[in-house]
Amino acid sequence: MNRQKLLIYSSGGLILLLLTGAVIGGFLRLINEVRYSLEYFLPYWLVGPVLFLAGCLLLALIIQVGWPWFQSFLNKISNQSINSKSQTLIPKNRHQAAKQSLKSIDRLLERLQDNVATEGLRQDRDRVEKELARGDLVVVIFGTGSSGKTSLIRAILNEVVGRVGAQMGSTKSSQIYRLRLKRLDRGLKLIDTPGILEAGKDGYSREKEARLRASSADLMVVVVDSDLRSAELEVIKSLTNLGKRLLIVLNKCDLRGEEEERRLLALLRRHCKGLVDSEDVIPCCASPQSVPIPGEQPWQPPAEINKLLRRLAKVLHDDGEELLADNILLQCRNLGDKGKKLLNSQRKQVARKCVDRYSWISSGVVVATPLPGADLLVTAAVNAQMVIEVARIYGVQLTKDRAQELTVSVGRTLAGLGIIKGGVSLIGSALSINLPSLLVGKAIQGIAAAWLTRIAGASFITYFQQDQDWGDGGIQEVVQHHYDLNKRDSSLQKFMELAVRRVIVPLRKNQQRQLPPRPGLREGEGASDHEHLKP
């Protein structure tokens, strides 16, 4: 097979080489014929320049006509490839969607640079992948303290699995049990959770553990022993908002009559309408009260959980794989959100360093440019390049025209809000230096340029963080927000201390090199000029 491919590729390359040579040879013969024809009408020394100009005109015509067609051809091919990829990437079921979500997390991990955060996220990703390929469906038994959760599991397993009594919170921590149902390929993992809505610090910690278990369940069985309290209903709403499938089990039916049972079931179905299907609200009696018999041992009636078992088996048989995939998709979404937060934090740090670098580049341009107005043009070009680099950090490819548009928009906003004029005044009032008046003006302008560039850069970071959107308040609100942050005393003081080292000290050294020493000063002596910040 490899030899056949090599032969085919070699033959194709040879044919392409022959065709290219034939085209080039024909083109050279055509040029020679044109040159010989021109020699009959033009002087010999003029033939070369005429051919050169004709070639340039022909090349310009080809570029003018062919380039747009070539671009449209490339766009057509790219659109076709994108459409074909999108068609192939459409998952056929939730299981495939879960696998694609894991692949997207892999791509996200490749872009993270923090090894500690990446390792933690990778471990969570591997755990989710194992759950996707695992053999068990996870069913979490959830409810208030002593509602009968442990008794229900004991009845299902047909053996005692925990202490069962009237005291609240008899299950102190989560307990896990395994069993298999007939005609179900996967095993079943039952998790008994601590009770919720209990008082005290210990009750809160147990409820936190129960909610954590619930968030990773494929199927939830919520056990109640009466009508829902408002707090219980809020918990059920929060679980269904996470996309969890719930079964509501009304336990301890032996303590009430048939009429009371029907009334409570109707209330539960009405309260859970839109959250849980009516078929998923099921009565049961996990541990019936014993019946005393005179002169004999009390008779213990068997548990009445057949309706629950039939419904549980039907749900797991029909929707078990989808429930598993839904749970994995939910966990993938949570991991993706966590990874995006880490990536955004990483991007923000890199973007801030980029903005800081370009701030001092803008300052140097303003200080070093002797021509009035020229510094504005150069600064605008520097800021446009800064926008391109910040966009690249956030995975966006900007054209120069688009970068210039964004730069002009932010510049106009800075001017319209009075930030440029106010910024120069603010920098001038915060800085007091002993330099010639010309250098003082340049120093203030340079520091103000760095400060304004920092505000503009922070605004661009917000813009790209929000997927190239200025938000509901528009560009004015974003720019004003970052202006307010940067003019705070702590931020401004820190910036001015850095500006003294970056701008004032180099200006002073440059002045000392250019000016001759004053008469009467011994070698090593100098003026005691010290820049300082106004309090």
Side-chain angles (χ1 to χ4, degrees):
M1 183 62 69
N2 293 334
R3 291 182 178 179
Q4 292 179 353
K5 287 184 179 180
L6 181 61
L7 182 60
I8 292 173
Y9 292 152
S10 301
S11 302
L14 182 60
I15 293 173
L16 182 63
L17 183 62
L18 292 175
L19 289 175
T20 304
V23 171
I24 294 175
F27 183 70
L28 292 176
R29 285 196 298 270
L30 179 62
I31 292 177
N32 285 330
E33 292 179 1
V34 172
R35 183 171 63 82
Y36 291 146
S37 300
L38 288 176
E39 287 178 352
Y40 286 104
F41 306 101
L42 298 175
Y44 179 78
W45 58 271
L46 195 58
V47 173
V50 169
L51 283 175
F52 178 75
L53 291 175
C56 291
L57 291 174
L58 180 61
L59 182 61
L61 180 62
I62 292 173
I63 293 175
Q64 187 70 23
V65 176
W67 180 248
W69 176 85
F70 182 67
Q71 281 185 321
S72 63
F73 178 72
L74 289 180
N75 291 333
K76 185 177 180 181
I77 292 177
S78 63
N79 291 333
Q80 288 178 353
S81 63
I82 291 173
N83 292 333
S84 62
K85 286 182 180 179
S86 63
Q87 291 177 358
T88 56
L89 291 178
I90 295 176
K92 296 180 180 179
N93 51 49
R94 290 183 178 89
H95 199 272
Q96 288 187 1
K99 288 185 176 180
Q100 290 184 10
S101 297
L102 290 174
K103 290 181 180 178
S104 66
I105 294 174
D106 288 336
R107 291 191 294 269
L108 188 62
L109 286 169
E110 293 174 355
R111 299 159 69 181
L112 292 175
Q113 298 176 356
D114 188 340
N115 294 330
V116 177
T118 302
E119 184 59 28
L121 190 62
R122 191 183 303 279
Q123 290 178 359
D124 291 338
R125 183 256 178 224
D126 293 340
R127 174 184 56 78
V128 171
E129 185 179 30
K130 289 179 181 178
E131 290 183 3
L132 181 62
R134 70 175 184 249
D136 292 338
L137 290 166
V138 177
V139 178
V140 171
I141 312 298
F142 193 81
T144 59
S146 287
S147 60
K149 303 184 304 298
T150 306
S151 299
L152 182 61
I153 291 182
R154 183 185 64 183
I156 293 174
L157 298 177
N158 199 23
E159 64 180 276
V160 176
V161 294
R163 295 195 308 274
V164 183
Q167 183 184 0
M168 292 286 287
S170 59
T171 302
K172 301 298 183 182
S173 61
S174 298
Q175 303 293 329
I176 302 175
Y177 313 98
R178 297 188 73 253
L179 72 157
R180 299 195 67 88
L181 295 179
K182 294 180 180 179
R183 298 184 299 276
L184 186 65
D185 294 334
R186 295 181 181 272
L188 191 63
K189 183 183 293 184
L190 292 178
I191 300 180
D192 184 14
T193 60
I196 62 172
L197 306 179
E198 297 178 14
K201 185 177 180 181
D202 293 339
Y204 175 77
S205 63
R206 289 197 292 267
E207 179 171 344
K208 185 177 180 180
E209 180 187 351
R211 288 177 178 266
L212 182 62
R213 288 288 187 179
S215 65
S216 61
D218 298 323
L219 178 65
M220 296 280 309
V221 176
V222 180
V223 183
V224 297
D225 56 5
S226 62
D227 190 16
L228 291 173
R229 291 177 285 180
S230 59
E232 290 176 299
L233 186 58
E234 289 300 321
V235 171
I236 289 176
K237 288 181 179 179
S238 66
L239 292 173
T240 54
N241 288 335
L242 290 176
K244 297 298 180 182
R245 176 74 178 272
L246 270 64
L247 300 182
I248 307 295
V249 176
L250 177 61
N251 195 17
K252 303 182 181 180
C253 289
D254 60 313
L255 301 181
R256 58 186 69 91
E258 293 184 359
E259 282 295 328
E260 181 68 9
E261 179 182 320
R262 283 195 292 267
R263 188 184 70 84
L264 285 176
L265 288 173
L267 285 174
L268 289 173
R269 286 165 180 155
R270 185 169 73 247
H271 291 156
C272 296
K273 187 176 181 180
L275 303 174
V276 180
D277 294 337
S278 60
E279 296 87 354
D280 291 338
V281 180
I282 309 155
C284 84
C285 181
S287 181
Q289 291 290 322
S290 60
V291 179
I293 300 176
E296 298 182 11
Q297 291 290 335
W299 176 63
Q300 179 65 49
E304 299 177 7
I305 59 171
N306 290 333
K307 292 182 180 179
L308 173 60
L309 289 178
R310 285 197 296 267
R311 188 60 186 168
L312 187 64
K314 180 174 175 54
V315 170
L316 293 177
H317 279 117
D318 296 345
D319 305 323
E321 294 297 322
E322 295 300 309
L323 291 174
L324 174 61
D326 282 340
N327 183 29
I328 298 301
L329 283 173
L330 174 62
Q331 296 190 55
C332 286
R333 185 167 70 243
N334 294 336
L335 286 179
D337 293 341
K338 181 179 178 182
K340 287 177 182 177
K341 288 181 181 179
L342 292 173
L343 182 61
N344 285 335
S345 177
Q346 172 184 298
R347 284 171 166 174
K348 192 172 184 178
Q349 291 179 3
V350 177
R352 281 178 173 175
K353 291 180 181 179
C354 175
V355 170
D356 185 70
R357 186 175 74 253
Y358 275 96
S359 296
W360 300 116
I361 291 176
S362 298
S363 175
V365 167
V366 171
V367 172
T369 304
L371 298 177
D375 53 353
L376 298 177
L377 297 175
V378 180
T379 303
V382 170
N383 287 340
Q385 184 61 34
M386 177 185 69
V387 175
I388 292 175
E389 288 200 24
V390 172
R392 190 178 297 120
I393 291 171
Y394 282 90
V396 178
Q397 296 295 329
L398 278 188
T399 62
K400 290 185 178 180
D401 292 339
R402 178 56 182 159
Q404 290 173 356
E405 289 178 7
L406 288 172
T407 304
V408 171
S409 298
V410 172
R412 288 175 178 172
T413 304
L414 288 169
L417 295 174
I419 294 177
I420 294 179
K421 184 177 179 180
V424 174
S425 176
L426 187 65
I427 296 299
S429 62
L431 184 68
S432 177
I433 52 176
N434 188 8
L435 284 173
S437 58
L438 179 62
L439 292 182
V440 169
K442 279 292 184 181
I444 293 176
Q445 291 178 6
I447 296 174
W451 192 67
L452 293 171
T453 301
R454 179 168 293 195
I455 295 173
S459 302
F460 291 131
I461 290 174
T462 300
Y463 173 74
F464 289 110
Q465 272 185 335
Q466 299 175 166
D467 294 330
Q468 302 182 67
D469 185 8
W470 290 111
D472 296 335
I475 187 173
Q476 292 86 358
E477 183 176 303
V478 173
V479 174
Q480 183 68 47
H481 170 70
H482 288 291
Y483 170 70
D484 293 337
L485 290 178
N486 280 272
K487 76 172 184 179
R488 291 178 179 175
D489 291 341
S490 58
S491 299
L492 185 61
Q493 182 74 16
K494 185 178 180 180
F495 171 78
M496 294 303 299
E497 291 174 356
L498 186 60
V500 168
R501 296 196 299 270
R502 291 291 188 93
V503 179
I504 304 302
V505 172
L507 276 176
R508 183 178 301 284
K509 290 181 178 179
N510 186 59
Q511 178 199 21
Q512 291 175 351
R513 284 197 301 268
Q514 291 180 355
L515 295 179
R518 286 183 295 175
L521 288 177
R522 294 190 301 271
E523 185 178 358
E525 293 181 342
S528 60
D529 295 335
H530 297 282
E531 61 278 348
H532 63 276
L533 303 178
K534 290 184 178 179

